Amino acid sequence: MVQLSEYLNQKRRLINEQLKLYVRDYSVPGRIQDAMMYSIEAGGKRLRPILLMATAEAFGADEQKAIGVASSLEMIHTYSLIHDDLPAMDNDDMRRGMPTSHKQFDEATAILAGDALLTLSSQIIAEDSSLDAHERVYLIRELSKASGATGMVEGQMQDMLSENKKVSLEQLESIHKNKTGQLLRFSIIAGAYLGKAAGDSKEEITKMAEAIGLIFQIQDDILDVTGDADKIGKPIGSDEDNLKSTYPQLLGVEGAKKQKEKYVLTAQESLKNAGVEGTYLSALIDYLSSRDY
Amino acid sequence: MVQLSEYLNQKRRLINEQLKLYVRDYSVPGRIQDAMMYSIEAGGKRLRPILLMATAEAFGADEQKAIGVASSLEMIHTYSLIHDDLPAMDNDDMRRGMPTSHKQFDEATAILAGDALLTLSSQIIAEDSSLDAHERVYLIRELSKASGATGMVEGQMQDMLSENKKVSLEQLESIHKNKTGQLLRFSIIAGAYLGKAAGDSKEEITKMAEAIGLIFQIQDDILDVTGDADKIGKPIGSDEDNLKSTYPQLLGVEGAKKQKEKYVLTAQESLKNAGVEGTYLSALIDYLSSRDY
């Protein structure tokens, strides 16, 4: 096994190449293609597709079966960032040190590029010849559920409605379960599905998937207080400025860290119970918990 | 056979009921669901799903097989109207005599409701138990192609880029083939697919589908010049005010009508060659050509 950092780099390269191929092959040269490519090439950690591929690998699935749906998932994530950055939403001018889509192009183009990426995400799975028809249908259905009105989009709406309001820890977890949790959960569920994980393992890995969503979010909130602005690519304290409810605000930074450790233990325990503890998934849990950007 | 007007009413009722069921069952109560339901209940002619169902029927498919994908198609159309009406796009405050989504709710909600409807459109087909897995995959793929960066979204972008510019008849047809033509084309292609139309018939019906898209668009342009503002739900001459290129502008009103008649003949001829001339499709072609709203 190579080191995690090298593993992450390998997977990122693979996913970036694949994403560019899809955008190039499934759109026509012009402004929409340029805007899709701009946001795809803006990069990012590619956490969701990497988690999907690592889970598929842990359960013995062929990499070829996972790369398409991993790319599709990253397109959903990318479109959501383009739309979330719009003036009517979070109104962000910069992301990862580059102008956001509506700043680089214009608002209309950013809306349409997001729509095009969302549409393409289904097409990619529907056309994936390394999957049989039942696998394609299952993955499109689960990804839609995780990203639409019962998942990410609903979470984004809840998040916006909770701005300027005091929310309880319970409400905060409900928002994050939808807004970021469900796509992260999908990455694990889809990987386990492709690896044909058995009933018990599937149950355990689902527990892990849910813990991973919360670990990711708590660390995001902690970085917004204690992180390095250059590394995370946005000013420190922006959650507080935007009057967003966060874990450190509700529990203090130390309390948030403790809560996160609790979820890390749950995740590692579930991984063991699912029989895949010696895999990259274990290192990925620690990475998600301790990442500095 | 009942009269076309009664046929249209029957199908509209069926589609409206089904659309409301889907939105209610596949979202959670709250603001996003309200906004999705608002735009779905704002109504419309339901031309695309009716064309799909009439084509499926003409080729002998069971209605039950067509209603899900017909609803999915109408959701794509509905999301595209919500996004097109946004201030950054066409900036329309009213549609069909009611405030547009961003006026009734706000811009963020309208963007998210559109995203949710687009996402739901794939989910509906993926979960449609009256279709087998291969049918679901085929329909999701074709609908994605027709509505994304090689179809409707690309057409909308081309249309915006052509504002304030002189375009040729050829360019105008290319814009419309993507912007409105591809979804209309899909309605026919999908119906013929569900009815298992044979090779020759499929070719002829595809010709008809393309003609129908152009008939629809030319009539839209003519109504913008000669129509009744109350019936079409927008002021007369709004294309000219928005500096949009139209058929009457390029060919004159009479020239546009002649062009339309040419496509009507093509469509009726293809219908005959496909062996389905005695069906509602024939009446639908005339209806599309002579509709006053």
Side-chain angles (χ1 to χ4, degrees):
Chain A
M1 275 172 92
V2 297
Q3 279 216 308
L4 183 70
S5 59
E6 180 50 25
Y7 180 82
L8 294 175
N9 283 334
Q10 280 176 11
K11 294 289 180 233
R12 254 175 225 138
R13 270 197 300 271
L14 193 68
I15 291 157
N16 289 340
E17 271 320 298
Q18 194 63 48
L19 282 167
K20 281 189 272 183
L21 276 180
Y22 279 131
V23 170
R24 203 197 57 200
D25 291 352
Y26 293 104
S27 63
V28 289
R31 191 173 175 85
I32 280 291
Q33 186 181 72
D34 292 346
M36 292 167 86
M37 200 60 103
Y38 177 79
S39 292
I40 286 296
E41 289 189 325
K45 297 183 286 291
R46 310 299 192 203
L47 280 181
R48 291 156 194 79
I50 291 173
L51 279 170
L52 195 156
M53 297 188 75
T55 310
E57 193 177 295
F59 285 99
D62 185 24
E63 183 169 89
Q64 203 47 45
K65 292 194 79 153
I67 182 77
V69 56
S71 304
S72 168
L73 172 60
E74 188 65 9
M75 280 188 192
I76 297 269
H77 177 58
T78 306
Y79 113 75
S80 79
L81 297 181
I82 297 175
H83 282 188
D84 286 1
D85 286 337
L86 286 166
M89 307 268 275
D90 293 348
N91 195 21
D92 283 318
D93 291 353
M94 302 288 284
R95 174 174 292 275
R96 299 174 190 136
M98 288 168 73
T100 47
S101 180
H102 63 275
K103 281 286 158 187
Q104 181 72 15
F105 298 90
D106 54 43
E107 274 187 62
T109 307
I111 294 167
L112 290 171
D115 292 345
L117 285 168
L118 171 52
T119 309
L120 185 51
S121 73
S122 298
Q123 190 183 339
I124 283 172
I125 303 179
E127 299 208 11
D128 190 338
S129 59
S130 54
L131 304 172
D132 70 31
H134 288 96
E135 289 170 331
R136 297 182 211 184
V137 164
Y138 173 89
L139 292 166
I140 292 170
R141 191 184 69 211
E142 294 303 311
L143 184 52
S144 301
K145 276 155 68 174
S147 55
T150 52
M152 183 185 71
V153 171
E154 169 67 11
Q156 175 67 10
M157 187 81 254
Q158 285 173 13
D159 194 26
M160 297 196 77
L161 292 173
S162 76
E163 274 179 28
N164 304 318
K165 279 187 196 150
K166 230 185 144 51
V167 304
S168 65
L169 185 62
E170 211 185 333
Q171 289 168 311
L172 186 67
E173 300 222 319
S174 156
I175 292 169
H176 291 316
K177 267 188 184 160
N178 283 324
K179 192 184 171 187
T180 53
Q182 288 223 40
L183 274 201
L184 288 162
R185 185 176 178 279
F186 173 82
S187 66
I188 307 288
I189 301 296
Y193 171 81
L194 290 172
K196 301 198 195 317
D200 276 8
S201 297
K202 224 158 73 183
E203 217 170 277
E204 289 294 337
I205 212 79
T206 304
K207 262 191 236 166
M208 189 202 81
E210 278 154 13
I212 272 188
L214 294 163
I215 294 166
F216 175 85
Q217 190 58 49
I218 299 176
Q219 185 62 5
D220 234 40
D221 287 358
I222 292 173
L223 285 174
D224 189 69
V225 181
T226 67
D228 178 333
D230 285 342
K231 281 190 181 166
I232 63 175
K234 59 176 184 176
I236 295 305
S238 69
D239 287 341
E240 207 178 337
D241 293 348
N242 293 334
L243 300 163
K244 293 213 171 185
S245 296
T246 66
Y247 284 90
Q249 199 193 82
L250 286 171
L251 305 171
V253 171
E254 284 314 306
K257 283 184 181 167
K258 268 191 197 142
Q259 187 82 1
K260 185 183 67 176
E261 285 311 319
K262 220 185 72 188
Y263 290 126
V264 169
L265 286 177
T266 308
Q268 297 288 12
E269 183 71 17
S270 303
L271 205 59
K272 210 156 128 189
N273 293 339
V276 285
E277 72 271 37
T279 63
Y280 281 108
L281 285 176
S282 177
L284 275 165
I285 292 168
D286 292 334
Y287 167 75
L288 284 176
S289 166
S290 60
R291 70 199 163 88
D292 60 4
Y293 78 106
Chain B
M1 273 172 93
V2 297
Q3 280 217 306
L4 183 71
S5 59
E6 179 51 26
Y7 180 82
L8 294 175
N9 282 334
Q10 278 176 13
K11 292 291 181 232
R12 254 175 224 138
R13 269 197 300 272
L14 193 68
I15 292 155
N16 289 340
E17 271 319 298
Q18 195 63 48
L19 282 167
K20 281 190 272 181
L21 275 180
Y22 280 131
V23 171
R24 203 197 57 199
D25 290 353
Y26 292 103
S27 63
V28 289
R31 191 173 175 86
I32 281 292
Q33 185 180 74
D34 293 346
M36 293 166 85
M37 200 60 103
Y38 177 79
S39 292
I40 286 296
E41 290 190 326
K45 298 184 284 289
R46 310 301 192 202
L47 281 181
R48 292 155 192 79
I50 290 174
L51 280 170
L52 194 156
M53 296 187 77
T55 311
E57 194 177 293
F59 284 99
D62 185 25
E63 181 170 270
Q64 202 49 42
K65 292 194 83 155
I67 182 78
V69 57
S71 304
S72 169
L73 171 60
E74 187 66 9
M75 278 187 193
I76 298 269
H77 177 58
T78 306
Y79 113 75
S80 77
L81 297 180
I82 297 175
H83 282 188
D84 285 1
D85 286 337
L86 286 166
M89 308 268 275
D90 294 346
N91 195 21
D92 284 319
D93 291 352
M94 302 288 283
R95 177 175 288 277
R96 298 176 192 133
M98 289 168 72
T100 47
S101 180
H102 64 276
K103 280 287 158 186
Q104 180 71 14
F105 298 90
D106 54 45
E107 274 187 62
T109 306
I111 294 166
L112 291 171
D115 293 344
L117 284 169
L118 171 53
T119 309
L120 184 51
S121 73
S122 298
Q123 190 183 339
I124 283 173
I125 303 179
E127 298 207 11
D128 190 338
S129 59
S130 53
L131 304 172
D132 70 31
H134 288 95
E135 290 170 331
R136 297 183 212 184
V137 164
Y138 172 88
L139 292 166
I140 291 170
R141 190 184 71 212
E142 293 304 311
L143 184 52
S144 300
K145 277 156 69 176
S147 56
T150 53
M152 183 184 70
V153 170
E154 170 67 12
Q156 174 68 10
M157 186 82 253
Q158 284 173 14
D159 194 27
M160 297 195 77
L161 291 173
S162 76
E163 276 180 27
N164 305 318
K165 277 185 198 150
K166 231 184 142 56
V167 303
S168 66
L169 186 62
E170 211 185 334
Q171 289 169 312
L172 186 67
E173 300 222 322
S174 156
I175 291 170
H176 290 315
K177 266 188 184 159
N178 283 325
K179 193 185 171 187
T180 54
Q182 288 223 40
L183 275 199
L184 287 164
R185 185 177 180 279
F186 172 82
S187 68
I188 307 289
I189 302 295
Y193 172 81
L194 289 172
K196 301 195 195 318
D200 278 6
S201 299
K202 224 159 73 183
E203 219 171 276
E204 289 293 338
I205 212 78
T206 304
K207 263 191 238 165
M208 188 200 83
E210 278 153 14
I212 273 189
L214 293 164
I215 294 166
F216 176 85
Q217 190 59 49
I218 298 176
Q219 184 63 4
D220 234 40
D221 287 358
I222 292 174
L223 285 175
D224 190 68
V225 181
T226 68
D228 178 333
D230 285 341
K231 280 190 181 164
I232 63 175
K234 60 176 183 176
I236 296 305
S238 68
D239 287 342
E240 207 178 338
D241 294 347
N242 293 333
L243 300 163
K244 295 213 170 186
S245 296
T246 67
Y247 284 90
Q249 201 192 83
L250 286 171
L251 306 171
V253 171
E254 284 315 306
K257 284 184 182 168
K258 265 189 199 143
Q259 188 81 0
K260 186 183 69 177
E261 285 311 319
K262 219 184 72 187
Y263 290 127
V264 169
L265 286 177
T266 308
Q268 296 288 11
E269 183 70 18
S270 303
L271 206 60
K272 210 157 126 189
N273 294 339
V276 286
E277 71 272 37
T279 63
Y280 281 108
L281 285 176
S282 177
L284 275 165
I285 292 169
D286 292 333
Y287 167 76
L288 283 176
S289 168
S290 60
R291 69 198 165 89
D292 58 4
Y293 79 105

